[in-house]
Amino acid sequence: SEKCHQEQGCQGYTFALGFNKIKTQCYLFQMLGEMKPCQNCESGINPDFIIEGKSCNSLKPENTLASKETMSAQECRTSCMETPGCTAYTWFLEQSNFPRTCFLYSKCEYEKFCHSCKDKGYIGQERNCKSCFRHGTNCHTCFSGRVNCITAPQCFNYSVMDETTRNINFKAVHGEGDIDIHYCDGLGLKTQSPSWHGPGYYRMMPPAGVVMPEFSVDYNSCGTHSPMRFAGIHPQEKYVETEATFCAKYFEEDCHHTLKGTVTLCDGYYVYYLPDVTNCHQRFCASMKPYYLEEEPADLL
């Protein structure tokens, strides 16, 4: 919150803890939208950027959680933060149609200008709100704000795995006279993969593929001797980080040993939290689809 207050133009922030609370990220926002679910995060707004002159509105009455009297916009904001499900609020001044009233919303679908029904115009005359607004006079009598939490921060902050050698169809040993390729996804290892930067969030992208395979892959595939696949089925619920298990192939044994991580379905793609491998030569595989189908899944292309 202190960094957001010091940063010019910052309206709000989200502080997010990484997997197992090892890594932390602080996201600063110039504009705020509706609240989204994320795990291990804390958000807030810069009080200096409470929006003046616009009120939150919703097409659904059930999105209005409560209304109460408060003495300031800051007090209204605090009430929103303390109310479960509240993502936005609007506070009206004394001279408005809703004097000192704080409205709490679960969703702010749009914002509109707010002003009093009567206010002094720029030449000191009484004007109704439409006339006042038409002449550009500041007739604002409300303040609004939002309490934000970004959608799964790992969906925006990840490393990319896109090497051709990582694809399931790339064999580690091509044949007699060819180079024996056996990369490892481990820091400090002699044959460390080019895209490996240590434990963290990764996204598979072409030409490597777009997702980890759920099926058994051949030994000596994916540019290594012991390829690793996704054990189980990928989740279908968006923006929820789910525990995952990865299996290492060893000769004919499909799941010789396992590693633990996570997987998150983002907006049409998956992001994985991957650990360092325990042995060389092991590497995480990529394919164009998670399972065998004649057609590629449209949401993963």
Side-chain angles (χ1 to χ4, degrees), residues 170-190:
F170 191 94
K171 304 302 179 182
V173 181
H174 290 180
E176 185 177 353
D178 287 347
I179 298 175
D180 183 5
I181 299 176
H182 46 269
Y183 286 116
C184 300
D185 286 334
L187 278 179
L189 299 177
K190 186 177 180 180

Side-chain angles (χ1 to χ4, degrees), residues 37-179:
C38 70
Q39 297 178 338
N40 297 323
C41 68
E42 180 180 334
S43 300
I45 66 169
N46 185 347
D48 294 338
F49 274 94
I50 292 177
I51 303 169
E52 179 181 359
K54 285 189 175 182
S55 63
C56 284
N57 288 269
S58 176
L59 299 175
K60 298 180 179 179
E62 59 267 27
N63 289 336
T64 303
L65 297 177
S67 62
K68 59 176 69 177
E69 182 177 350
T70 59
M71 302 309 295
S72 67
Q74 287 76 12
E75 185 180 340
C76 184
R77 173 176 63 89
T78 300
S79 181
C80 181
M81 295 177 68
E82 294 175 349
T83 301
C86 183
T87 68
Y89 63 91
T90 293
W91 182 75
F92 288 88
L93 290 169
E94 175 70 33
Q95 63 267 34
S96 71
N97 290 333
F98 308 99
R100 295 193 305 273
T101 303
C102 171
F103 289 89
L104 306 181
Y105 301 92
S106 61
K107 186 175 183 180
C108 183
E109 295 177 321
Y110 66 99
E111 296 168 339
K112 69 177 183 180
F113 288 101
C114 61
H115 36 67
S116 61
C117 286
K118 287 191 176 181
D119 203 352
K120 289 189 176 181
Y122 65 96
I123 57 175
Q125 297 178 347
E126 292 288 333
R127 300 178 182 273
N128 61 33
C129 51
K130 291 184 179 179
S131 176
C132 182
F133 178 69
R134 187 166 57 246
H135 285 80
T137 307
N138 185 2
C139 300
H140 301 155
T141 57
C142 71
F143 297 86
S144 298
R146 299 175 186 245
V147 180
N148 281 55
C149 197
I150 64 172
T151 303
Q154 63 269 26
C155 289
F156 306 96
N157 186 25
Y158 53 77
S159 299
V160 172
M161 290 179 162
D162 60 358
E163 309 102 313
T164 302
T165 57
R166 193 175 291 277
N167 185 269
I168 58 172
N169 294 316
F170 191 94
K171 304 302 179 182
V173 181
H174 290 180
E176 185 177 353
D178 287 347
I179 298 175

Side-chain angles (χ1 to χ4, degrees), residues 1-13 26-30 46 48-49:
S1 60
E2 182 179 351
K3 187 172 182 63
C4 180
H5 185 75
Q6 295 172 350
E7 191 75 19
Q8 184 177 1
C10 179
Q11 293 194 29
Y13 67 91
C26 182
Y27 299 86
L28 304 181
F29 299 94
Q30 290 183 328
N46 185 347
D48 294 338
F49 274 94

Side-chain angles (χ1 to χ4, degrees), residues 231-253:
I233 299 175
H234 284 73
Q236 299 301 309
E237 185 177 358
K238 281 188 176 182
Y239 308 125
V240 176
E241 188 170 13
T242 306
E243 290 187 359
T245 301
F246 310 105
C247 279
K249 178 92 171 192
Y250 188 69
F251 289 98
E252 298 302 318
E253 192 173 351

